[in-house]
Amino acid sequence: MYSEEMYGYGAQSSVIREIFAYGMARKKEIGDENVFDFSIGNPSVEPPKEVTEAFIELLNTKAPLELHGYTPGPGDMEVREAIANDLNERYGTSFKGTNFYMTCGAAAALKITLTALFEEGDEALTLTPFFPEYTVFAKTTGYKFIPVKSDPETFQPDIKNLENAITEKTKCIILNSPNNPSGVIYTKESIKNVAQLLKKKEKEYGHPIFIISDEPYRELTYGTEVPFITKYYDDTIVCYSYSKSFSLPGERIGYICVPDEVTESSKIYAAVCGAGRALGYVCAPSMLQKVVEKCVKSRPALDTYKKNRDLLYNALSEYGYKCIYPDGAFYLCVKALEEDAEIFAEKAKKYELLVVPGDSFSAPGYVRVSYCVSTEMIERSLPAFKKLIENYK
Ligand code: PLP
């Protein structure tokens, strides 16, 4: 009567959503100011001013039928050219508009790319810890999905583990840096090592192994360079999103970039168009495309996130928590004070601290603390973090 597989994904709600819903209910009971909700990754910094102004200007100046009409399936060429030019200026690449396919955020970009590459029997890898939706996107496409353990101390790629995981059936590896949930940025050295290994394996197996670079947090870095992976490895397909950089995750806009350097690039680009069509994802929101075109050079204001990162990391470290230092994104991985992070997160609730157990991100033993919240809430939460650790001493 219906798909058991889809029923399973639909009926089982995400841990993050459950904690967030608990937080909403708890706030009603004891007041907003008494609940410290670090569960969700919704940007807490307003969109760049130019972005809001672009919406208003477009509504005031464009004819409605033009503004809201269908665009070509892969997106307006002017938008794609504007993105290409911006990346070329920043990274010295030589992209053209024809390398880009506009999408409803990174989620659609990932699903389309995975679908475009898939052949029966393929395996897809990713590095732990990782965004839990990768499992859904890869498995429902047909892949055998294989998470590969990263270095447990730094959460940088562990090249030995990666080498052991690659087989003749490996089609792609999803990389996410800056990373959700750890905030870690893969170093140039890490990227070079991954690239070198993949090149060796491509030769050994006689077929390409693609990096799918999932980059919703590319602009969210607090001083550390985010290596642009296409510069290090030819078979890289980029999945980008404006959800976090423009603080508009509900508006759904992003893109796929298939560089010319990718093996059989024009065929893969056509397969991306085909996958977009097959999944019903053609024509990303037209007004948002025009906003991107106008604001292609806008970057997020990072002061608040950086301030939050420093405040939280320094305070928790001082209290005795072990944290993975986050160079980017807006998440902090904190080692749970007992083996089972789910039990630890439950105990944290007693202090009104809402954090997400790392298990669903393949980071068992850690909790994720999202610091895309107000600085003032972090300040108010610190005594609770202190009491929680004292309770374990
Ligand atoms: N990839 C990662 C690592 C994410 O954290 C998210 C959202 O939080 C996504 C992809 C999906 O982003 P989008 O809102 O652009 O679909």
Side-chain angles (χ1 to χ4, degrees), residues 105-107 131 134 176 180 214 216-217 241 243-244 252:
F131 181 52
Y134 294 168
N176 170 225
N180 176 9
D214 179 27
Y217 303 97
S241 167
S243 290
K244 318 287 170 165
R252 318 304 300 134

Side-chain angles (χ1 to χ4, degrees), residues 25-75:
R26 190 75 183 132
K27 280 178 187 171
K28 277 203 184 123
E29 280 170 40
I30 63 167
D32 284 13
E33 68 287 2
N34 298 314
V35 180
F36 312 119
D37 185 354
F38 293 98
S39 64
I40 210 154
N42 230 349
S44 59
V45 163
E46 289 199 351
K49 201 161 66 57
E50 318 81 80
V51 171
T52 308
E53 284 167 2
F55 276 101
I56 297 167
E57 195 192 324
L58 284 166
L59 282 166
N60 283 330
T61 56
K62 281 255 181 215
L65 291 181
E66 188 194 341
L67 181 59
H68 303 299
Y70 285 122
T71 68

Side-chain angles (χ1 to χ4, degrees), residues 222-236:
Y222 310 113
T224 305
E225 188 194 340
V226 181
F228 192 54
I229 301 181
T230 64
K231 305 277 286 178
Y232 298 86
Y233 186 67
D234 283 350
D235 280 324
T236 300

